Amino acid sequence: MEQHVEQPSKGPQSQFETGHNPPVQHMKQPGLQSQMGDPKPTSTQVPTEDSGYQTYKAAGKLTGKRAVITGGDSGIGRAIAILFAMEGASSLLVHLPEEESDAVETKKRVQNAGQNCYSMAADLRSKANCQKVVDTAMQCLGGIDILINNAAYQNMVDDIRDLDDDQWIKTFDTNIHPYFYLSKYALPHMKRGSTIINCASINAYIGRPDLLDYTSTKGAIVSFTRGLSNQQIGNGIRVNCICPGPVWTPLIPSTMTSSAMEQLHAVPMGRPGQPSEIATCFVFLASTDSSYISGQSLHPNGGVVVNG
């Protein structure tokens, strides 16, 4: 895995908490968390008001639950898997074959938290693979209580005239079609009280111009979430989505230009988020703490005010 770091890191507290730019790094897609330079993304350490960090404090909110997490090898997916495990949930992690090394590390961390964890390499652009994910979850976990649709692809292109047709199709085949198929195949196995949580993006609301295809799929995810919620709420199944702002994950150095990375601090809080800060939102929506919430979008984005 190739990596190039254009400026030295000063560590998470001085680099992120004071609003300075994160280091500009570049990796080949899809990017591995193990190859990222400092500051490392945090999966269990949550930033505090005094610019320090504290370990996430679990309270048994997901005891006995069984979760399927796509893109579960690194970044937000890894943080979700670990916090879910700390809260008592077992999981099946779905990842690309080239992300195997990150998936092994995530699986180890989930097991260290005392929960069962299984991993599966699959390209979810195939609806047959989506069915295999559900079949594997039923075989390994014995059921599905939580479906986390999180895996995504992006590649920056400034102008629609330069946006390759194949990239447009790949982005939709990766970012929205698997959400449909996984939900369709999982729902017959999900009982009242189960939840589906989709990962959208702030870009669906701000209309980011250099990620036109990605932004379009994230808008589709918001609408898919609202429609599916209205369809399934009578069955006692809640469907919500989360729309993160800039977050320090492998997706950033593997897909964004140097100038784009330099703007990661351009939110009111002055820093990109950590995966752990997004994963806490998934815990909330997966637990009974959010029992009266469905069809909604949460916006952990560093203070940006969005409409909708």
Side-chain angles (χ1 to χ4, degrees):
M1 179 65 63
E2 294 184 1
Q3 178 186 19
H4 173 59
V5 180
E6 297 187 9
Q7 66 183 58
S9 165
K10 298 179 181 178
Q13 293 185 24
S14 62
Q15 193 80 310
F16 279 42
E17 299 298 331
T18 61
H20 291 263
N21 293 357
V24 175
Q25 306 175 18
H26 296 289
M27 297 188 293
K28 287 185 176 179
Q29 294 185 24
L32 293 176
Q33 189 159 324
S34 60
Q35 298 294 325
M36 292 181 71
D38 289 329
K40 296 286 188 182
T42 67
S43 299
T44 59
Q45 300 295 310
V46 181
T48 60
E49 292 182 359
D50 62 356
S51 297
Y53 286 82
Q54 68 178 14
T55 300
Y56 175 81
K57 297 178 181 179
K61 294 177 183 291
L62 302 176
T63 300
K65 299 296 184 180
R66 299 156 297 185
V68 174
I69 306 170
T70 69
D73 55 291
S74 63
I76 294 172
R78 171 182 288 185
I80 294 168
I82 295 173
L83 295 199
F84 274 23
M86 294 172 70
E87 292 288 359
S90 54
S91 60
L92 170 65
L93 313 177
V94 186
H95 58 88
L96 292 172
E98 54 266 41
E99 297 167 332
E100 181 70 27
S101 60
D102 271 356
V104 168
E105 176 63 23
T106 304
K107 181 177 180 180
K108 181 175 69 175
R109 295 191 186 188
V110 169
Q111 292 173 332
N112 287 343
Q115 301 302 321
N116 292 327
C117 185
Y118 305 88
S119 64
M120 175 182 177
D123 186 339
L124 297 178
R125 290 178 293 173
S126 160
K127 67 178 182 179
N129 282 344
C130 292
Q131 180 66 69
K132 289 179 182 178
V133 168
V134 173
D135 293 342
T136 301
M138 294 304 298
Q139 179 181 359
C140 295
L141 301 175
I144 302 172
D145 303 300
I146 307 164
L147 172 61
I148 304 295
N149 287 313
N150 169 65
Y153 164 81
Q154 71 175 28
N155 189 48
M156 300 184 72
V157 178
D158 289 331
D159 193 289
I160 189 172
R161 290 166 292 189
D162 299 320
L163 181 56
D164 187 78
D165 294 354
D166 289 340
Q167 177 177 317
W168 176 268
I169 293 169
K170 177 180 179 179
T171 304
F172 273 80
D173 283 347
T174 303
N175 293 8
I176 180 63
H177 296 158
Y179 287 35
F180 166 76
Y181 288 115
L182 286 167
S183 299
K184 179 178 181 178
Y185 300 148
L187 274 166
H189 305 287
M190 302 177 80
K191 301 177 181 178
R192 296 186 69 85
S194 297
T195 59
I196 297 174
I197 309 173
N198 301 316
C199 193
S201 170
I202 189 176
N203 293 322
Y205 295 85
I206 64 174
R208 182 157 180 156
D210 52 5
L211 289 170
L212 180 61
D213 49 339
Y214 177 85
T215 294
S216 299
T217 62
K218 294 302 181 175
I221 290 167
V222 172
S223 294
F224 173 72
T225 297
R226 290 172 174 168
L228 188 60
S229 171
N230 288 337
Q231 183 187 96
Q232 295 298 320
I233 197 66
N235 298 324
I237 297 174
R238 296 184 297 111
V239 186
N240 291 288
C241 74
I242 292 172
C243 303
V247 184
W248 189 236
T249 73
L251 189 68
I252 301 302
S254 67
T255 65
M256 299 191 79
T257 63
S258 298
S259 59
M261 275 189 277
E262 289 170 355
Q263 296 302 313
L264 289 175
H265 69 297
V267 296
M269 284 191 178
R271 63 174 178 86
Q274 286 286 354
S276 57
E277 295 178 284
I278 313 304
T280 57
C281 297
F282 282 86
V283 171
F284 170 67
L285 289 178
S287 74
T288 55
D289 287 354
S290 59
S291 58
Y292 199 51
I293 298 177
S294 191
Q296 304 303 313
S297 301
L298 294 189
H299 297 275
N301 61 27
V304 179
V305 177
V306 297
N307 294 320

